[in-house]
Amino acid sequence: MDIQLDRNDTTPLYRQIVAHIMEGIALGRYPAGTSLPPERKLAAHLGVNRTTVVAAYRDLVATGRVEARVGHGTWVCADLMDDANAPPSIVWQTLFTPAAGRLRESALRDMMSAIDRPSTISLGAGTPAPDLFPIAEYREAVTQTLETWGAEMFRYGEVAGWLPLRRELAAWMAQAGVHTTADQIVVLHGSQQGLDMLTRVLVEPGDAVVVESPTYLGALQTFRGAGARLLPVPLDAHGMQIEILEQTLVRHRPKFIYTLPTFQNPTGATMSLGRRHALLALARRYGIPIVEDDPYGDLRYEGDPLPRLAALDTGGGVIHLSTMSKIFLPGLRLAWLSAPLPVVEAITMARQTMDVHPNSAAQRVLHTFLTRGWLAAHIAELRPAYAARRDVMLAALAEYAPPGMTWSQPEGGYFLWCRLPPGVRARALATEAAREGVSFVAGDVFSPDGGGRDHLRLNFTGNREAEIVEGVRRLSVALRRLQRDPVYDATETIAAARPVV
Amino acid sequence: MDIQLDRNDTTPLYRQIVAHIMEGIALGRYPAGTSLPPERKLAAHLGVNRTTVVAAYRDLVATGRVEARVGHGTWVCADLMDDANAPPSIVWQTLFTPAAGRLRESALRDMMSAIDRPSTISLGAGTPAPDLFPIAEYREAVTQTLETWGAEMFRYGEVAGWLPLRRELAAWMAQAGVHTTADQIVVLHGSQQGLDMLTRVLVEPGDAVVVESPTYLGALQTFRGAGARLLPVPLDAHGMQIEILEQTLVRHRPKFIYTLPTFQNPTGATMSLGRRHALLALARRYGIPIVEDDPYGDLRYEGDPLPRLAALDTGGGVIHLSTMSKIFLPGLRLAWLSAPLPVVEAITMARQTMDVHPNSAAQRVLHTFLTRGWLAAHIAELRPAYAARRDVMLAALAEYAPPGMTWSQPEGGYFLWCRLPPGVRARALATEAAREGVSFVAGDVFSPDGGGRDHLRLNFTGNREAEIVEGVRRLSVALRRLQRDPVYDATETIAAARPVV
């Protein structure tokens, strides 16, 4: 038994002996039945005290792989599970947490088929127009950013985000009437991450969260995944019905109120000024924070802008979330939040254990877009293009939709919210529409309370005008066929390879 | 009272009345004391049934902002909290979760001063050499990637990561002897995110996790933040002491074993082949997964490479984590994991609620680096450069360090692990060193069990050779001064603006 002891090693000698023999057993060098040398003999061979070997053998016996009997010596015993031939022994299902189960259930519940054929026109995803991406400016911004910053673009960065970018984002928000500071801003890897961070520091299983009904799917998934009790407050054309909210606040004392007040996802509804004031007053009276999710606020195509909740707030109770995904380039995963300092501190602490910091290069490229005025110019180009696409979709619906179908007329944002003719279910239509080569998102996906089965969400920003018309025409063909030949709800769902955004 | 009722609205008329009056109250249009019209009169004015107004007033009274008494009518009453002048009413401390408290405590516990003066030489951060960043190749890769992919670079992408990149990463791992498939790979926004995702689906408060002692700070923070019980297993020069591990597995049945087997952070130690086999055998026998964190595996400067645990594993029990941060550009936040399919499915579900998907543009740039062979070429340049920096640091220590100080001689990776002369504490030295213009990470930061107070971690990759020599010289000056004039441990800590990596 050729054991090399290292007397400079801090590991005690008896443990070095144990380590050597256990390795030998694991490697098959000492198969079952191998006799270990008598203690006295091994001690002499190694030049150690006998008590050292006694201690080593005692620990070896404790592992169960070595047996000792007085008068019979010490030997390696059979491994009850033959490692080489055993089936995989990790039973993952027994290891996952209840949270993993909730996350799974939440994701499965809202699954939709995202496997479109190439010829399918997708009116489903909430994507900006790829044909309008500012690619030339991006190329130029990378060049300028590399020239200005060099290696700094690629180093580890601050947890809350690169300070010059946070300053620019604060200035960007000031233009929208929200006065905040760089200290109150956290740069995010997508605004979903902001919802996740806020949920992590504010929501435990069983906590209540107010949501609009219907609302953004990703928020529902995050809150459900955290085990939150969802308290739905219905929407109408003027946003969340505040007079219903108060009774909810009194009864349930939620952790926060989650709202998309402007060009809401999925309905396109915008909360009236009166309700904005009333919401802030109520939230303040009951000491409940508001999470204002504002991905579409810069995309108004007509009518007067309304102030953000964060602009009206005087009580420090609004956490404002926004994103570059709807006005710039979604694949870059750039978003930010502005929040009271205790919240910023809590999520910055949490983030050190989550993803450490946002992409340094992407932050600097965005900084270049902001400081050169390219982002403002890009949005100024998007507004009329998206307004035209909305109008094209409205006109196509007016031309093709069957009687009994109605839809919203949003003043901005990404979506039309359609109510199907009586008796038609959105899930059944989705199956029919897939055959026809068009996809959308069925309304029940956005519902915290089982509603929306006769609604669908249509995106009007992601396709060119001709495709929008053709998509609506195909949808109407599918719908008329379904009305002639009704089927029950499709129950089959396919795992979402791409997110619903 | 000018109430506009919308009979096309799906909101019941009585609720429209409630909404209007509540908004008026919130806006100050109807201050306290305002009389509401008699029910019959308002009903006539609005052309609605009287019961509609009765229902509206009943709901208004329920809010507490309206009072009614028979014979006295109905009026707006004073708000008990005057919203306009009230102090901010959100008491954030009462809203944060226990998890937020743990995350905070975990981050604070391990805080170090990261506020270096510009002239300070940082031997602290585990950063690659900024002077060796492949910036020209990056510029060229962006150009080629834009030409090849255009707008696709900026669209929403797959939750697990872009499939062509996952294929390239699988091929990359195959070159290191790990056979996996694109389906088993998840692209991450930094490997910390992988630890966070695994923790989210595997660890509940009170669950046990095996860690090496000492180990990577970010892992300790994530596990502590999740409320895990840490089970430390000591390291020696040959890695985790496996013979101690078995008793831990028997007693505590941990959720997984977290190990950095190759060029460990912070010690630089590499687990011997025998121990690798023994670890796999043990983990398999007890049905415990292994999380193999492998940021430094490609950075061997001498000696024969050892197979990854994931390469030796035959039981499907190893989750392999790796990152581009140590071999490419840390600011891009690109890492990946390879895991059994049930784990991939669980974390992909969870990810939909976390950050949705990784940066599409960064993934495609990395794909270009991999397919052009530029990453392999870059690593081939890093190895001799880092080996030379390690040797320079070892020589500087031999020249300047006082008697009684010892240090490791790692065959690869990023770090030397130094033991201070008896009686000197690393935290006290950090204060003294800051005065001298050099920083490092005190060893206790990496300890799950209060050890490491007489150790420090020195990074040898992030600085040029002359700076390394000067840094070690300054450190030795600080150390000798501290030995002449000992002080107690510095207890003051400053919030870490930058992460310890």
Side-chain angles (χ1 to χ4, degrees), chain A residues 223-240:
Chain A
F223 302 155
R224 282 179 180 143
R229 273 184 306 136
L230 298 181
L231 305 175
V233 175
L235 279 180
D236 60 28
H238 310 293
M240 189 192 278

Side-chain angles (χ1 to χ4, degrees), chain A residues 193-204 222-223 226 255-256 346-347 350-351 353-355, chain B residues 95-103 193 195-197 199-200 221-222 225-226 353-354:
Chain A
Q193 189 184 50
L195 291 173
D196 185 44
M197 287 175 177
L198 291 170
T199 301
R200 183 121 33 146
V201 301
L202 288 170
V203 180
E204 299 183 87
T222 297
F223 302 155
K255 276 300 184 79
F256 56 82
I347 66 180
R351 199 210 203 128
T353 73
M354 295 174 70
D355 74 338
Chain B
L95 296 172
F96 291 134
T97 59
R102 286 194 304 265
L103 292 164
Q193 189 184 49
L195 291 174
D196 185 43
M197 288 176 176
T199 300
R200 186 127 24 152
Q221 287 184 332
T222 297
T353 73
M354 295 173 70

Side-chain angles (χ1 to χ4, degrees), chain A residues 415-437:
Chain A
F415 304 113
L416 301 192
W417 184 238
C418 306
R419 170 174 275 180
L420 291 167
V424 182
R425 295 296 199 195
R427 292 266 171 163
L429 178 60
T431 308
E432 213 49 42
R435 273 184 214 133
E436 206 57 45

